[in-house]
Amino acid sequence: MSNLPNVLWQQTLGGIAAPCGFQASGATAGFKASLNPDLALLLAPEGAICAGAFTQSLTRAACIDLCCDRLQANSGSVRAVLINSGQANAFTGDRGLIDSLRATRALADLLQLKEEEVLIASTGIIGVPIPMQKMFSTLHLLVDSLSTEGGTDAAKAILTTDLVEKQIAFEADLGGRKVRIGGMAKGSGMIHPDMATMLGYITCDAGLPYQEWNLMVQRAVECSFNAITVDGDTSTNDMVLGFASGELLDAKYMESLEVGLITVMQYLSKAIARDGEGANCLIEVEVCGANNNCDARKVARTICGSSLVKTAIHGKDPNWGRIIAAAGRSGVDFNPENIDLWIGPYKLVEEGKPLFFDSQTVSHYIKKRFLGNYLFDDMVAIKMNIGFGDGRGLGWGCDMSDQYVRINADYTT
Amino acid sequence: MSNLPNVLWQQTLGGIAAPCGFQASGATAGFKASLNPDLALLLAPEGAICAGAFTQSLTRAACIDLCCDRLQANSGSVRAVLINSGQANAFTGDRGLIDSLRATRALADLLQLKEEEVLIASTGIIGVPIPMQKMFSTLHLLVDSLSTEGGTDAAKAILTTDLVEKQIAFEADLGGRKVRIGGMAKGSGMIHPDMATMLGYITCDAGLPYQEWNLMVQRAVECSFNAITVDGDTSTNDMVLGFASGELLDAKYMESLEVGLITVMQYLSKAIARDGEGANCLIEVEVCGANNNCDARKVARTICGSSLVKTAIHGKDPNWGRIIAAAGRSGVDFNPENIDLWIGPYKLVEEGKPLFFDSQTVSHYIKKRFLGNYLFDDMVAIKMNIGFGDGRGLGWGCDMSDQYVRINADYTT
């Protein structure tokens, strides 16, 4: 990514409905005991293409199969996605697929689209089917309230145990043309995406060939959603969909667009990690000096996922031994004698040897992050150099608190 | 293991010092703030052989290298092992190896053995060296108190955050000859052994060729210590040593001996899982119908290691969806439509479809285990059939409680 045109991506409002031509809405069908919004709709403009990344779990939900099949059959020509929260509709027998088909058919009728142009995603409790009557009686309202202002409503309707909605939009001037990329996501628990994560949706109002967009989405997922972990559990319903629509983009701005796409996806990924169940801070692990980027990301994610590292951070304990132990079991080959390690600005290990450091000072650095502003200055930064290679990668996670256990012990089937 | 001679292994007393000719002792050097016993010694009779299995972590402690080297150089002819708790002596720079060498040299002098016949193991905080003066001034006492009654003292001295000592002995009549196998272990946290676990020691008073004993130990480790997980974190200091000594055993009893060895190792493995930090029950996952035993064990261990399964059990919640989701991300190939799943005697899923079951009843089954007697009736049994193969395997873990987080957030460097 060298010699890029001088492009600046700036944050803007509107989430997934920010890009030109996209509309969204959210409604309450009554799927959840809380009676919070639980049904979201995203409608892409005519001619839009959609690229997807899906869970690699063998025990995946019927909606995942439906989305994969339709994206492949239509070479990405898809116009709408319906998302319900409350029931994962995974492992619900034949009914899972039948209900997914019924829902997309009913929505296609209302939107006057072909059934194959509509996708469905579900998140919530595994083994529980979607209450279809509630869904059918809410679809009308959902379609009627579609608007370019509906991004926040949609972002709220896809949440389960999340505390805050996760949406973002960026815009840039690409050769005199304004291009916007928007996104929303949900996360919270069962977060250890394997090729995709628990519901991420991206919109973009620049057109490009499907193959190119698809590859761009896969690459961006790899260094964003696939770099986070909350609890090591890959979900049955992981899904990222990226829609692109609009006039074809000048090829010389392709790399700039990818920078924007990665920016949006990384923001959403960090928001998911920060809002991990019971979390008090975001943990960012940067690994450099690896043989390749893939190795670096693997080490970074192993550290982020270590229960012992997560509980140490929760205890404001600069326990570098646990960080190094996690790197050592990551499956990546490196020489421990080359390890340099920092927590925040403090160097704790140099060339494999522990340095003297004031434990109170480093503990105070972590403590301050716990009191920081959400996704602004509440990030504990860990940096590790493992050798002399060019490989570099980031991983994100969160601390593990007593609250994590309570949430998951009390969240009943 | 068919057509075995009719051999019955029965539990007996004495732990690692139960087999004929073995002696053990424990003492307090003052390595831990608690001033609990912290130094253990095991002495094997002349002519003993020792086979070891060690952590596969790249960031392993110097004592691991020392043990590997000496076992290999001496083809297993090793007589003694010294074990300290409180300091892992991992990642302590050159000093790690130097201190390990000094300790084994001093002990060899006292025992009148060759330095190469003495091993050392350490467990405790990473990055902290062993206080050598305290060790040197305690070695005399440790050697003087060696006895055939010393098994319990040794088992106590190797503990860190463990709540109870873990030791066992079994004996059997092998063709008119009484053979005993004893063992002790420590566990608690950073437990996800990769080829070996955090300190397990086995003794046996039947002789056999080193190669045969070595293979037998590796196989038994695979279906015992390598089948448990507490927190998914593989330690820097994992080690299992198995000593065998005595008159050569008749070849026709080899398989019977292996049954005894597996019995001892599985008992210790379950004891480690049950005493996982903050645990209230043991979880045993049995997987059958896999393509091979290795696949079955992989699925079983993934389920045992899932934070979401562990917290669900802690919440007495028969959340079968999380169990199936964990199996789906295990990396093992199977058809979800073949899944049958039981919690205790209750079948929850049949041929991939959820059955109706009374959630209260299954929840009550789990609750009763929480009130059960330690390692007697406090085990939550999960059984999953994943297909039609002959592969079968067991995995062990424990529930995850708020207490787990508190222990690891408060355990300071």
Side-chain angles (χ1 to χ4, degrees):
Chain A
M1 297 219 182
S2 50
N3 298 322
L4 285 187
N6 190 14
V7 167
L8 182 67
W9 288 93
Q10 288 191 292
Q11 202 175 327
T12 184
L13 297 174
I16 50 166
C20 188
F22 287 88
Q23 292 179 281
S25 62
T28 304
F31 295 153
K32 297 187 279 199
S34 65
L35 294 185
N36 284 332
D38 49 25
L39 202 56
L41 176 59
L42 168 63
L43 181 63
E46 229 185 300
I49 52 168
C50 176
F54 301 93
T55 183
Q56 297 302 298
S57 171
L58 275 180
T59 53
R60 62 199 211 157
C63 63
I64 300 285
D65 292 324
L66 182 151
C67 291
C68 282
D69 292 349
R70 290 191 175 173
L71 284 177
Q72 198 163 14
N74 298 338
S75 302
S77 287
V78 153
R79 293 282 308 281
V81 56
L82 175 71
I83 310 143
N84 76 285
S85 61
Q87 298 79 31
N89 195 25
F91 241 75
T92 43
D94 298 337
R95 192 173 160 180
L97 183 58
I98 292 167
D99 286 349
S100 298
L101 287 168
R102 286 166 74 205
T104 55
R105 196 172 305 145
L107 183 61
D109 284 348
L110 288 172
L111 292 169
Q112 296 184 289
L113 295 174
K114 282 184 275 181
E115 196 179 332
E116 296 75 32
E117 292 177 307
V118 179
L119 304 183
I120 181 168
S122 303
T123 175
I125 300 171
I126 296 172
V128 182
I130 305 167
M132 291 305 288
Q133 281 316 314
K134 289 184 180 173
M135 172 172 285
F136 288 135
S137 59
T138 314
L139 284 181
H140 241 298
L141 171 67
L142 197 68
V143 170
D144 286 349
S145 46
L146 271 171
S147 106
T148 57
E149 315 282 309
T152 302
D153 288 345
K156 283 186 172 159
I158 64 173
L159 306 180
T160 55
T161 53
D162 306 61
L163 297 179
V164 295
E165 69 262 21
K166 297 161 189 74
Q167 60 172 343
I168 193 79
F170 279 88
E171 64 180 15
D173 189 308
L174 299 187
R177 172 179 171 193
K178 182 177 282 181
V179 171
R180 287 183 174 162
I181 306 177
M184 68 174 188
K186 79 155 295 275
S188 225
M190 208 174 266
I191 300 293
H192 184 83
D194 182 11
M195 306 320 284
T197 189
M198 199 68 183
L199 309 195
Y201 299 93
I202 311 292
T203 53
C204 170
D205 54 11
L208 61 173
Y210 175 60
Q211 277 310 326
E212 214 152 322
W213 175 242
N214 191 27
L215 288 173
M216 199 181 279
V217 167
Q218 309 305 332
R219 284 194 300 265
V221 162
E222 206 49 54
C223 66
S224 59
F225 294 110
N226 274 359
I228 60 173
T229 184
V230 167
D231 49 19
D233 273 290
T234 302
S235 164
T236 50
N237 289 45
D238 284 347
M239 173 188 304
V240 170
L241 295 178
F243 289 88
S245 167
E247 206 189 320
L248 270 183
L249 188 71
D250 186 333
K252 78 172 177 190
Y253 291 108
M254 283 297 176
E255 289 196 6
S256 299
L257 186 72
E258 186 159 346
V259 169
L261 184 63
I262 290 173
T263 304
V264 167
M265 284 198 185
Q266 287 191 342
Y267 172 87
L268 293 173
S269 301
K270 285 193 259 188
I272 289 174
R274 173 60 187 87
D275 194 22
E277 288 169 337
N280 298 281
C281 70
L282 176 69
I283 300 174
E284 178 175 278
V285 177
E286 180 184 351
V287 172
C288 58
N291 290 333
N292 53 60
N293 292 349
C294 181
D295 275 6
R297 280 200 296 266
K298 199 168 170 188
V299 174
R301 205 185 195 196
T302 306
I303 293 170
C304 288
S306 157
S307 293
L308 292 173
V309 172
K310 290 156 66 74
T311 48
I313 296 295
H314 185 65
K316 289 100 182 170
D317 178 13
N319 195 323
W320 58 267
R322 293 183 183 176
I323 299 171
I324 282 176
R329 68 168 166 90
S330 67
V332 168
D333 193 30
F334 65 90
N335 183 347
E337 287 176 16
N338 293 330
I339 292 181
D340 300 315
L341 178 69
W342 293 259
I343 294 182
Y346 308 104
K347 192 168 192 178
L348 310 188
V349 175
E350 189 170 73
E351 292 180 6
K353 291 181 189 61
L355 298 174
F356 173 80
F357 66 94
D358 179 35
S359 171
Q360 287 301 316
T361 307
V362 187
S363 180
H364 185 72
Y365 161 82
I366 302 173
K367 201 174 197 169
K368 263 182 75 178
R369 301 302 160 299
F370 274 55
L371 305 170
N373 290 308
Y374 196 83
L375 278 181
F376 178 67
D377 54 6
D378 58 353
M379 185 182 89
V380 173
I382 296 173
K383 186 175 169 182
M384 188 186 259
N385 176 54
I386 60 170
F388 306 101
D390 289 332
R392 195 185 153 282
L394 292 164
W396 295 279
C398 57
D399 63 306
M400 180 189 277
S401 68
D402 327 33
Q403 206 51 28
Y404 171 82
V405 176
R406 289 285 21 123
I407 292 167
N408 282 297
D410 298 342
Y411 184 85
T412 182
T413 45
Chain B
M1 300 218 180
S2 50
N3 298 322
L4 284 189
N6 189 14
V7 167
L8 182 68
W9 287 94
Q10 286 190 295
Q11 200 174 327
T12 183
L13 297 174
I16 50 165
C20 188
F22 288 88
Q23 291 178 282
S25 62
T28 305
F31 296 152
K32 298 187 279 199
S34 65
L35 294 186
N36 284 332
D38 49 25
L39 202 55
L41 176 59
L42 170 62
L43 180 65
E46 227 184 303
I49 52 168
C50 175
F54 301 93
T55 182
Q56 296 301 297
S57 172
L58 276 180
T59 52
R60 58 197 214 160
C63 63
I64 299 287
D65 292 324
L66 182 150
C67 290
C68 282
D69 291 349
R70 291 191 174 172
L71 283 177
Q72 201 164 11
N74 299 337
S75 302
S77 287
V78 153
R79 292 283 307 281
V81 55
L82 175 70
I83 310 144
N84 76 286
S85 61
Q87 297 79 29
N89 195 24
F91 241 73
T92 43
D94 298 337
R95 190 172 161 181
L97 183 59
I98 292 168
D99 286 349
S100 298
L101 288 168
R102 286 167 73 205
T104 54
R105 196 172 307 145
L107 183 61
D109 284 348
L110 288 173
L111 292 169
Q112 295 183 292
L113 295 174
K114 280 185 275 180
E115 198 180 330
E116 295 76 33
E117 291 177 308
V118 179
L119 305 184
I120 181 168
S122 303
T123 176
I125 301 172
I126 295 173
V128 182
I130 305 167
M132 292 303 290
Q133 281 316 316
K134 289 183 180 175
M135 173 172 284
F136 288 136
S137 60
T138 315
L139 284 182
H140 241 297
L141 172 66
L142 198 68
V143 169
D144 286 347
S145 47
L146 273 172
S147 102
T148 57
E149 315 281 309
T152 301
D153 288 343
K156 283 185 174 161
I158 63 174
L159 306 181
T160 56
T161 54
D162 307 60
L163 297 179
V164 294
E165 71 261 21
K166 298 162 188 72
Q167 60 171 343
I168 194 79
F170 280 88
E171 63 180 16
D173 188 308
L174 300 185
R177 171 178 170 192
K178 182 177 284 182
V179 170
R180 286 183 176 165
I181 306 177
M184 69 174 185
K186 80 155 294 277
S188 226
M190 209 173 265
I191 299 294
H192 185 82
D194 182 12
M195 306 319 285
T197 192
M198 199 68 183
L199 310 195
Y201 300 91
I202 311 292
T203 52
C204 170
D205 53 12
L208 61 174
Y210 176 61
Q211 277 310 324
E212 215 153 322
W213 175 243
N214 190 28
L215 289 173
M216 199 182 278
V217 167
Q218 308 305 332
R219 283 194 300 267
V221 162
E222 207 47 56
C223 66
S224 59
F225 294 111
N226 273 359
I228 60 173
T229 183
V230 167
D231 49 20
D233 274 291
T234 301
S235 165
T236 51
N237 290 45
D238 284 348
M239 174 190 302
V240 170
L241 295 178
F243 290 88
S245 167
E247 203 188 322
L248 270 184
L249 189 71
D250 186 332
K252 78 173 177 188
Y253 290 108
M254 284 298 177
E255 290 197 4
S256 298
L257 185 72
E258 186 159 346
V259 169
L261 183 64
I262 290 173
T263 304
V264 167
M265 285 200 187
Q266 288 191 340
Y267 173 87
L268 293 172
S269 301
K270 285 194 259 188
I272 289 173
R274 173 61 187 86
D275 194 22
E277 288 168 338
N280 298 280
C281 68
L282 175 70
I283 300 175
E284 177 176 279
V285 177
E286 179 183 351
V287 172
C288 56
N291 290 332
N292 53 61
N293 291 349
C294 181
D295 275 6
R297 279 199 297 263
K298 199 168 170 188
V299 173
R301 204 185 194 196
T302 306
I303 294 170
C304 288
S306 158
S307 292
L308 292 172
V309 171
K310 290 157 65 74
T311 48
I313 296 294
H314 185 65
K316 289 98 180 172
D317 179 12
N319 195 324
W320 58 267
R322 293 183 183 176
I323 298 171
I324 281 175
R329 69 168 166 90
S330 66
V332 169
D333 193 31
F334 64 90
N335 183 349
E337 288 176 16
N338 293 330
I339 291 181
D340 301 315
L341 178 69
W342 294 258
I343 293 181
Y346 306 104
K347 193 169 192 176
L348 311 188
V349 175
E350 188 171 75
E351 292 181 6
K353 290 180 191 65
L355 299 174
F356 172 81
F357 67 94
D358 179 36
S359 172
Q360 287 301 315
T361 306
V362 187
S363 179
H364 184 71
Y365 161 80
I366 301 173
K367 200 174 196 169
K368 263 182 76 178
R369 301 299 160 305
F370 275 56
L371 306 170
N373 291 309
Y374 196 84
L375 279 182
F376 177 67
D377 53 7
D378 58 355
M379 184 183 89
V380 173
I382 296 173
K383 187 176 170 182
M384 188 185 259
N385 176 54
I386 61 171
F388 306 101
D390 291 331
R392 197 185 152 281
L394 292 164
W396 294 279
C398 57
D399 62 309
M400 179 189 277
S401 68
D402 327 31
Q403 207 50 31
Y404 171 82
V405 177
R406 289 287 19 125
I407 291 167
N408 281 297
D410 298 343
Y411 184 83
T412 185
T413 45

